[in-house]
């Protein structure tokens, strides 16, 4: 039965160009390939070899002849190691070893025998370290993916310094708590960078010529430090700490075409301050879906007016007079058709486009009115008290009078006290009291 399976495989291969061999998802072990099958295949002329989805636990170039090979796909196997040892130099340009069990890559794997490599996919393995020697020979490498490895802080500072031709770098979900600015300082040709789903809280210094940047799923709050004048796409999806976004923070992104904010559940306020010049002048797509927005200020009208694609679905919209301007917006799409109301209750689950403008009323809570009234009354009372005190203080002391017993009033004017005067006053007062008795 097993020999029959091999015979079928050989027939399939013979129908394909001798330069391309596809043996993917055949449950092959390395012994099946190196011992039995390669005797039936002229691997010397093969340029593209696909061994994806098999059961290889290792791959050794010494067991085969890969002289012409340019593309090798070993993904979705059980690889714990692979080697290029038995030929001085290979023509290999693309290597995919993703979705394996690689924990460490030594100098006998990614070495100077494959200097023509342009695409390297190491994603979905168990790598914990990326050191200076691991990638040092790949001076013409253009694409590198290390995503979904438990690397954490295991990237050495100079790990990427020799990758001066690199255009695409994928560091998604590697559990990195931070990215040093020195990581990217030599990557002058980098165009696409994915830092998403890492627990970073600050944006590192990035290559100035970036065209695509993904910061989705990070802990970043402050987005105002981006100076990327060539950036065309910025993804900020599922950002758990972003509650307020001022679009003026992106005023340096003069070439941005796509801004994506999807799944930011705590994003409740989106604003744009008035200023000289246009913010995001080339924006083509604005995606703000599944967030926490309840309303949009009318100051966003110019931006919405000139952006061809705006998606606002699945926000808890409060359909009142503050959203009326969206229904009146003269754009290629009727944005009010995408807005499904969450409040008030009488408009729940309705689309904004279905509600007449006279029903979009703004309601102000009575508690707010009472608070304002009581605050005003308190201020008025305090002002009256202060005015009365100031009025009393303005009267001269010489005009103050004090009532004595029997409602007699004694007035003192310019009295200069002396011991003799005090005795005379007391004597007269006592005599007056005796006469009354």
């Amino acid at each position: 039965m097993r020999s029959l399976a091999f015979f079928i495989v050989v027939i399939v291969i013979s129908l394909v160009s001798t330069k391309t061999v596809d043996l993917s998802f055949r449950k092959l072990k390395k012994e099946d390939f190196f011992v039995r099958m390669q005797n039936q295949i002229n691997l010397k002329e093969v340029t593209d070899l696909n061994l994806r989805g098999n059961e290889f636990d290792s791959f050794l170039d010494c067991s085969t002849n890969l002289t012409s090979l340019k593309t090798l796909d070993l993904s979705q196997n059980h690889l714990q190691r692979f080697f290029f040892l038995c030929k001085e130099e290979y023509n290999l340009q693309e290597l995919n070893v993703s979705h394996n069990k690689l924990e460490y890559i030594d100098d006998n794997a990614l070495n100077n025998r494959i200097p023509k490599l342009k695409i390297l996919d190491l994603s979905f393995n168990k790598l914990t370290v990326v050191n200076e020697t691991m990638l040092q020979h790949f001076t013409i490498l253009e694409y590198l993916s290390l995503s979904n490895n438990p690397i954490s802080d295991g990237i050495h500072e100079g790990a990427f310094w020799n990758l001066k031709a690199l255009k695409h770098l994928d560091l998604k979900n590697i559990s990195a708590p931070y990215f040093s600015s020195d990581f990217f300082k030599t990557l002058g040709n980098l165009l696409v960078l994915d830092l998403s789903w890492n627990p970073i809280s600050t944006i590192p210094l990035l290559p100035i010529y970036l065209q695509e940047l993904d910061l989705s799923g990070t802990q970043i709050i402050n987005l105002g430090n981006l100076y990327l004048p060539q950036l065309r796409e910025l993804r900020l999806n599922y950002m758990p700490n972003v509650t307020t976004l001022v679009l003026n923070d992106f005023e340096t992104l003069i070439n941005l075409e796509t801004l994506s904010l999807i799944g930011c559940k705590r994003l409740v306020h989106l604003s744009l301050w008035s200023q000289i010049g246009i913010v995001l002048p080339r924006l083509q797509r604005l995606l703000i879906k599944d967030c926490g927005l309840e309303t949009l200020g009318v100051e966003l009208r110019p931006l919405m007016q000139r952006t061809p694609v705006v998606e606002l679905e699945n926000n808890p919209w409060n359909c009142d007079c503050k959203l009326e301007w969206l229904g009146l917006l003269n754009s290629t799409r009727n944005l009010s058709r995408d807005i499904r109301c969450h409040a008030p209750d009488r408009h729940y689950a309705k689309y904004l486009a279905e509600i007449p403008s006279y029903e979009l009323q703004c309601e102000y809570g009575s508690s707010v009115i009472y608070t304002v009234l009581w605050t005003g009354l308190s201020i008025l009372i305090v002002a009256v008290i202060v005015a009365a005190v100031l009025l009393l203080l303005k009267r001269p002391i010489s005009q103050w009078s004090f009532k004595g017993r029997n409602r007699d009033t004694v007035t003192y004017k310019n009295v200069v006290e002396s011991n003799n005067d005090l005795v005379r006053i007391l004597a007269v007062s006592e005599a007056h009291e005796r006469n009354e008795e």
Side-chain angles (χ1 to χ4, degrees):
M1 189 69 181
R2 194 175 183 84
S3 59
L4 177 61
F6 281 125
F7 178 73
I8 295 173
V9 168
V10 171
I11 293 176
V12 171
I13 293 173
S14 64
L15 297 176
V16 183
S17 169
T18 57
K19 294 186 178 181
T20 301
V21 174
D22 187 351
L23 297 173
S24 60
F25 299 102
R26 302 182 188 276
K27 297 183 179 180
L28 299 176
K29 297 182 182 298
K30 62 182 180 182
E31 293 81 9
D32 297 329
F33 175 75
F34 289 122
V35 177
R36 299 182 180 91
M37 296 194 66
Q38 73 166 343
N39 294 327
Q40 304 170 22
I41 305 171
N42 185 12
L43 287 178
K44 184 177 181 180
E45 298 181 2
V46 172
T47 58
D48 301 283
L49 178 59
N50 187 352
L51 297 171
R52 174 191 297 230
N54 287 296
E55 299 177 4
F56 286 58
D57 60 1
S58 64
F59 185 88
L60 179 60
D61 65 314
C62 299
S63 301
T64 186
N65 189 339
L66 305 175
T67 305
S68 303
L69 197 65
K70 293 183 178 180
T71 301
L72 176 60
D73 190 343
L74 291 167
S75 63
Q76 299 183 45
N77 277 273
H78 307 300
L79 289 181
Q80 298 180 27
R81 64 188 72 84
F82 64 92
F83 304 102
F84 292 94
L85 293 173
C86 296
K87 192 175 184 300
E88 284 299 318
E89 185 175 309
Y90 287 97
N91 291 315
L92 193 65
Q93 297 178 13
E94 180 176 345
L95 175 62
N96 187 351
V97 288
S98 65
H99 295 86
N100 279 288
K101 298 180 179 180
L102 300 170
E103 296 183 6
Y104 181 75
I105 297 177
D106 62 26
D107 295 340
N108 293 321
L110 300 176
N111 53 36
N112 59 350
R113 300 176 188 272
I114 48 175
K116 297 180 181 179
L117 203 64
K118 292 186 176 181
I119 298 175
L120 175 60
D121 192 344
L122 298 167
S123 62
F124 290 93
N125 278 284
K126 299 181 179 180
L127 299 175
T128 57
V129 175
V130 181
N131 58 32
E132 289 86 349
T133 61
M134 177 174 160
L135 303 168
Q136 64 177 333
H137 303 290
F138 304 136
T139 56
I140 65 171
L141 191 70
E142 297 180 357
Y143 176 98
L144 172 63
S145 177
L146 293 165
S147 70
N148 296 282
N149 280 281
I151 298 173
S152 186
D153 58 355
I155 300 179
H156 293 195
E157 187 174 278
F160 305 137
W161 285 3
N162 285 343
L163 308 181
K164 296 180 181 180
L166 198 65
K167 296 180 180 179
H168 188 128
L169 177 58
D170 188 353
L171 300 175
K172 176 182 179 180
N173 191 29
I174 62 171
S175 302
Y178 67 93
F179 290 102
S180 169
S181 299
D182 289 335
F183 284 172
F184 314 114
K185 70 178 185 179
T186 63
L187 306 184
N189 291 305
L190 194 65
L191 301 177
V192 180
L193 178 61
D194 191 342
L195 302 179
S196 63
W197 299 103
N198 286 289
I200 60 174
S201 56
T202 58
I203 302 175
L205 184 63
L206 301 174
I208 195 172
Y209 296 112
L210 273 183
Q211 293 185 6
E212 295 182 25
L213 175 63
D214 195 342
L215 297 174
S216 302
T218 60
Q219 303 295 317
I220 294 170
I221 298 176
N222 183 14
L223 296 165
N225 297 324
L226 289 174
Y227 179 70
L228 300 170
Q230 302 300 321
L231 197 68
R232 294 183 178 179
E233 182 172 352
L234 176 60
R235 294 188 289 275
L236 303 172
N237 305 323
Y238 303 99
M239 302 278 279
N241 294 331
V242 174
T243 58
T244 299
L245 184 62
V246 181
L247 293 177
N248 301 75
D249 289 342
F250 302 141
E251 61 183 351
T252 60
L253 307 183
I254 56 177
N255 285 297
L256 194 68
E257 297 176 357
T258 300
L259 175 59
S260 178
L261 293 151
I262 299 174
C264 300
K265 295 298 185 181
R266 298 184 63 190
L267 177 61
V268 297
H269 189 239
L270 182 71
S271 63
L272 177 62
W273 304 332
S274 60
Q275 66 173 46
I276 299 175
I278 300 176
V279 175
L280 302 176
R282 297 192 178 183
L283 194 64
Q284 301 294 311
R285 294 171 56 86
L286 178 61
L287 312 179
I288 315 176
K289 303 189 293 185
D290 299 304
C291 295
L293 292 177
E294 296 182 2
T295 191
L296 290 174
V298 70
E299 73 274 6
L300 293 167
R301 181 198 295 268
L303 179 66
M304 300 290 185
Q305 183 79 48
R306 57 183 164 81
T307 304
V309 178
V310 179
E311 298 183 9
L312 302 171
E313 297 90 345
N314 299 326
N315 284 278
W317 297 110
N318 182 21
C319 295
D320 60 8
C321 64
K322 296 178 182 177
L323 288 181
E324 185 177 0
W325 67 271
L326 276 172
L328 303 174
L329 194 65
N330 181 22
S331 63
T332 55
R333 289 185 59 208
N334 189 347
L335 297 180
S336 59
R337 295 186 184 277
D338 297 332
I339 294 181
R340 187 185 287 271
C341 304
H342 188 266
D345 292 340
R346 66 179 181 276
H347 296 323
Y348 182 79
K350 294 180 182 178
Y351 285 103
L352 181 63
E354 302 172 350
I355 305 172
S357 58
Y358 62 84
E359 292 187 12
L360 296 175
Q361 300 175 359
C362 288
E363 298 179 358
Y364 301 96
S366 58
S367 59
V368 176
I369 296 176
Y370 287 142
T371 301
V372 173
L373 290 176
W374 278 112
T375 302
L377 184 60
S378 301
I379 294 173
L380 181 61
I381 293 172
V382 172
V384 170
I385 294 173
V386 171
V389 171
L390 291 176
L391 184 62
L392 289 174
L393 290 176
K394 283 184 177 181
R395 294 180 61 186
I397 298 178
S398 60
Q399 295 181 3
W400 289 10
S401 60
F402 305 92
K403 292 184 178 180
R405 280 188 310 178
N406 300 327
R407 298 185 179 181
D408 290 335
T409 300
V410 180
T411 302
Y412 302 94
K413 293 183 179 179
N414 301 327
V415 177
V416 180
E417 288 190 7
S418 67
N419 291 336
N420 294 333
D421 292 337
L422 184 57
V423 172
R424 189 162 48 252
I425 291 169
L426 292 175
V428 172
S429 177
E430 291 176 358
H432 182 68
E433 288 180 357
R434 282 197 298 270
N435 290 338
E436 286 183 351
E437 293 175 356

